[in-house]
Amino acid sequence: MLQEVLGAIAAAGAVGAVYLAMAARVVKQYERGVLFRLGRVAGDVRDPGLTLVIPFVDRLHKINMQIVTLPIPAQEGITRDNVTVRVDAVVYFRVMDPTSALVKVEDYKFAVSQMAQTSLRSIIGKSDLDDLLSNREKLNQGLELMIDSPAVGWGIQVDRVEIKDVSLPDTMKRSMARQAEADRERRARIINADAELQASKKLAEAAQQMSGTPTALQLRLLQTVMAVAAEKNSTLVLPIPVELLHFLERGGQQGAPEAGGGRREAPREAPREVAALPEKLPGTPAESLPEQPAPNGDPARPGVAALPDSLPEGLAEEPAPNGGGGARPPGQGPRERLPKQT
């Protein structure tokens, strides 16, 4: 009899151990348990630790309460200023109400992913390219608000949304690179011009300061030569003062007349229309020379006489001035001037 009792107790203990093993559930610290009894939510959410359920009657679903990092696939869209871009982002969310996340939506992760993709496309269409590149904080806040609004009813809280990358077409990249290069070149030219202006002002002040003391200019020249010579260069550039060049130029202008014969000849005046003949030719009396009227009908000019038909013997033998034709024969008068045809 005793053996039968002991056997029954052992059997009951074994059955109890099996039942306990089937009924015991362990909920981890980062999880919460939702108990369904015959298909309905029973009781409150089970806290972390050991919990018991009725085998074959209750079913315990564990919900992860950690922050979930969900990447959003790259979405291609057209911005408000008609630029085609590809934008990808990442969403950080967590479950606040395990019962709602399990009951109100079939797969809350998939639902959040689809909502994030739709919201990202909407943000791309409402924004400009400059906002996507430089004003991401504002876009992140707007995107977070768009995703969080329907997710609150699912028992999910969106902690943060970040736009990771914005892909642009190659043509747009080259255009932006040229724009940035032109802007940097413009700023560089402005900086160089400002530097030249400041340097010119300082040089003008230095020149004005040195003009009172010419020795300072010589000392500055010697300092420059010393600085150049200290670098162990094979070529030494020695600047020549401008005053020395002016001195040499003035000396050259003063020495030029002496090198040309002591004095310069005055420019000869153009010959007059009628040259005065001598009052008396050799061997011819002055009374025999009749007065020659002017060609234009003016009265005879005093001191101007007509040439004789024949020159004296002493002048007839003289050769022609131009060396051609030999001596004019004696007794032959001057050649008659041909009348000018009108």
Side-chain angles (χ1 to χ4, degrees):
M1 186 66 183
L2 182 60
Q3 293 180 355
E4 293 178 357
V5 173
L6 293 176
I9 294 173
V15 172
V18 173
Y19 178 80
L20 183 62
M22 295 178 64
R25 296 290 186 273
V26 177
V27 180
K28 297 179 182 180
Q29 182 66 36
Y30 56 86
E31 294 177 340
R32 297 294 184 269
V34 180
L35 183 63
F36 288 88
R37 181 169 295 169
L38 298 177
R40 301 182 63 180
V41 177
D44 297 333
V45 177
R46 301 299 175 91
D47 293 330
L50 181 63
T51 183
L52 298 176
V53 298
I54 301 175
F56 307 108
V57 177
D58 296 341
R59 179 172 294 180
L60 185 67
H61 291 270
K62 300 177 182 179
I63 302 298
N64 192 345
M65 303 296 292
Q66 292 176 323
I67 295 177
V68 180
T69 303
L70 181 65
I72 303 176
Q75 302 297 315
E76 185 173 356
I78 300 177
T79 60
R80 190 166 58 182
D81 50 354
N82 299 326
V83 179
T84 303
V85 295
R86 290 177 59 89
V87 182
D88 57 350
V90 59
V91 181
Y92 302 91
F93 69 94
R94 61 178 179 175
V95 178
M96 299 300 295
D97 187 359
T99 303
S100 299
L102 192 61
V103 174
K104 293 184 178 181
V105 63
E106 180 181 2
D107 186 356
Y108 64 90
K109 291 185 179 180
F110 181 74
V112 172
S113 176
Q114 294 300 314
M115 179 58 65
Q117 294 181 27
T118 305
S119 301
L120 183 58
R121 284 178 175 270
S122 178
I123 285 292
I124 293 174
K126 295 179 181 179
S127 304
D128 295 332
L129 180 61
D130 294 339
D131 295 336
L132 289 175
L133 297 176
S134 60
N135 196 11
R136 292 189 180 183
E137 291 295 333
K138 184 178 179 180
L139 296 180
N140 293 337
Q141 294 176 2
L143 187 59
E144 178 181 349
L145 183 62
M146 293 179 65
I147 299 174
D148 189 55
S149 297
V152 171
W154 304 336
I156 296 172
Q157 179 183 358
V158 178
D159 288 344
R160 191 173 183 84
V161 181
E162 292 286 345
I163 296 177
K164 292 195 302 183
D165 187 21
V166 178
S167 300
L168 300 174
D170 294 337
T171 55
M172 180 59 64
K173 290 181 180 179
R174 288 192 293 268
S175 300
M176 295 176 65
R178 288 195 299 268
Q179 179 183 0
E181 183 179 357
D183 184 54
R184 290 182 179 275
E185 185 177 358
R186 177 184 63 84
R187 286 185 293 176
R189 290 183 178 180
I190 292 175
I191 293 174
N192 290 334
D194 191 13
E196 291 292 338
L197 177 60
Q198 295 179 6
S200 62
K201 290 181 179 179
K202 294 298 180 182
L203 288 175
E205 293 178 2
Q208 185 177 5
Q209 186 70 22
M210 290 183 180
S211 62
T213 55
T215 310
L217 183 61
Q218 301 296 331
L219 293 176
R220 183 58 183 165
L221 175 61
L222 294 177
Q223 290 178 0
T224 305
V225 173
M226 188 188 328
V228 174
E231 297 180 359
K232 299 180 181 180
N233 294 328
S234 59
T235 303
L236 179 61
V237 179
L238 182 62
I240 300 176
V242 181
E243 290 79 4
L244 181 59
L245 297 178
H246 290 334
F247 175 76
L248 295 177
E249 183 179 358
R250 288 195 299 269
Q253 292 179 356
Q254 295 176 0
E258 298 178 359
R263 63 178 182 179
R264 297 181 180 177
E265 292 184 358
R268 296 182 179 179
E269 298 181 356
R272 297 179 179 272
E273 184 178 358
V274 180
L277 293 177
E279 296 180 358
K280 183 179 180 180
L281 294 176
T284 305
E287 292 79 8
S288 62
L289 296 177
E291 293 183 354
Q292 179 72 20
N296 54 2
D298 294 340
R301 298 181 183 179
V304 178
L307 293 176
D309 294 337
S310 61
L311 294 178
E313 297 179 357
L315 297 178
E317 304 277 335
E318 294 180 359
N322 53 4
R328 184 175 297 174
Q332 183 179 359
R335 295 182 180 178
E336 295 181 0
R337 182 178 298 177
L338 297 176
K340 185 176 181 181
Q341 297 179 359
T342 60

